[in-house]
C-alpha cells in the first residue's frame, strides 16, 4: 500500500474489516485503504460493469480477501444488494427474489463456499406488510437485518443469536 489521496464519489459503497476500508462505485473503482496509516491501494477493476463486492478476513492465514461477484445472481435469487457486511468469517449480501422468500447470501472466506440464510418470520399485527428497504449490517459481532416499513412508519431490526439459524 502506498500513500493515496482520493476523492470518493457520493454514490460509493463501502465495507470495512479490522480497520481496513474498501470503497467501490459503479465505475468499478475499488480502493482499499488503512485510514489510520493514511495508506491506500487502487485494485484492478473487475471485467464486468455491474458487480457486487465484499471484503473479508481469513483469520487462519491472517489475510484479507476482496470478493467481486459477477452480476448474475444465483438461480434462487433474482438480485443482490450492493452493500455487504463481514460477520462470523463470512461476507453477507441481502438477496431478493420474486417469490418474496428473500434470503441472505453468504460467502465463507476460509472455505470459499456460498450458502443462504433464511430470514426470520415476523409475528406482528400486519403479517402481509412488505418492507420497502432491507439491508444487512453487523450488530455487536452478530449478523443483523433492518427492515424499513416506511409506509407504516416503523423499522424492524433483527439480530441473529446463533449464526446460521433464523
Amino acid at each position: 500500500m502506498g500513500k493515496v489521496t482520493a476523492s470518493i464519489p457520493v454514490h460509493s459503497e463501502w465495507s470495512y474489516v479490522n480497520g481496513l476500508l474498501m470503497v467501490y462505485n459503479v465505475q468499478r473503482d475499488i480502493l482499499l485503504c488503512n485510514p489510520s496509516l493514511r495508506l491506500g491501494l487502487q485494485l484492478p477493476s473487475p471485467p464486468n460493469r455491474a458487480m457486487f463486492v465484499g471484503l473479508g478476513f481469513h483469520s487462519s492465514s491472517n489475510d484479507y480477501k476482496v470478493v467481486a461477484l459477477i452480476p448474475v445472481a444465483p438461480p434462487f435469487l433474482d438480485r443482490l444488494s450492493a452493500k455487504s457486511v463481514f460477520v462470523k468469517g463470512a461476507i453477507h449480501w441481502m438477496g431478493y427474489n420474486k417469490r418474496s422468500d428473500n434470503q441472505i447470501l453468504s460467502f465463507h472466506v476460509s472455505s470459499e463456499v456460498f450458502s443462504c440464510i433464511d430470514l426470520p418470520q415476523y409475528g406482528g399485527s400486519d403479517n402481509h406488510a412488505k418492507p420497502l428497504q432491507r439491508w444487512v449490517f453487523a450488530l455487536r459481532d452478530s449478523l443483523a437485518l433492518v427492515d424499513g416499513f416506511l409506509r407504516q412508519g416503523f423499522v424492524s431490526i433483527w439480530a441473529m443469536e446463533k449464526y446460521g439459524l433464523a
Side-chain angles (χ1 to χ4, degrees):
M1 282 195 181
K3 292 219 181 245
V4 67
T5 303
S7 60
I8 299 170
V10 175
H11 299 291
S12 295
E13 292 291 336
W14 54 272
S15 185
Y16 64 93
V17 176
N18 300 338
L20 188 67
L21 177 67
M22 179 184 67
V23 181
Y24 56 97
N25 58 34
V26 295
Q27 288 81 23
R28 300 178 300 143
D29 299 320
I30 302 175
L31 176 67
L32 285 179
C33 54
N34 184 329
S36 63
L37 299 177
R38 296 184 181 195
L39 297 175
L41 176 66
Q42 179 79 38
L43 297 182
S45 295
N48 297 311
R49 264 190 84 198
M51 64 181 171
F52 305 100
V53 181
L55 175 65
F57 181 73
H58 190 292
S59 58
S60 298
S61 65
N62 198 32
D63 203 10
Y64 293 88
K65 288 187 180 184
V66 174
V67 176
L69 303 178
I70 60 173
V72 177
F76 46 86
L77 296 171
D78 297 316
R79 64 185 175 91
L80 295 173
S81 65
K83 180 75 176 141
S84 66
V85 64
F86 181 74
V87 177
K88 301 287 187 191
I91 304 167
H92 301 84
W93 294 267
M94 187 63 229
Y96 303 92
N97 65 34
K98 293 175 184 156
R99 296 182 318 265
S100 76
D101 299 322
N102 299 331
Q103 297 178 313
I104 297 171
L105 178 67
S106 61
F107 176 77
H108 301 273
V109 174
S110 61
S111 63
E112 297 189 351
V113 171
F114 284 96
S115 64
C116 280
I117 299 170
D118 291 327
L119 299 184
Q121 297 297 319
Y122 292 100
S125 59
D126 187 2
N127 290 332
H128 301 293
K130 301 263 190 270
L132 293 178
Q133 293 182 328
R134 177 175 268 172
W135 60 94
V136 292
F137 69 104
L139 179 65
R140 295 188 193 131
D141 199 35
S142 293
L143 182 62
L145 173 78
V146 171
D147 277 337
F149 296 90
L150 303 180
R151 288 190 185 131
Q152 291 84 5
F154 69 95
V155 297
S156 177
I157 299 175
W158 163 80
M160 186 179 282
E161 290 179 7
K162 289 189 177 184
Y163 186 78
L165 301 175

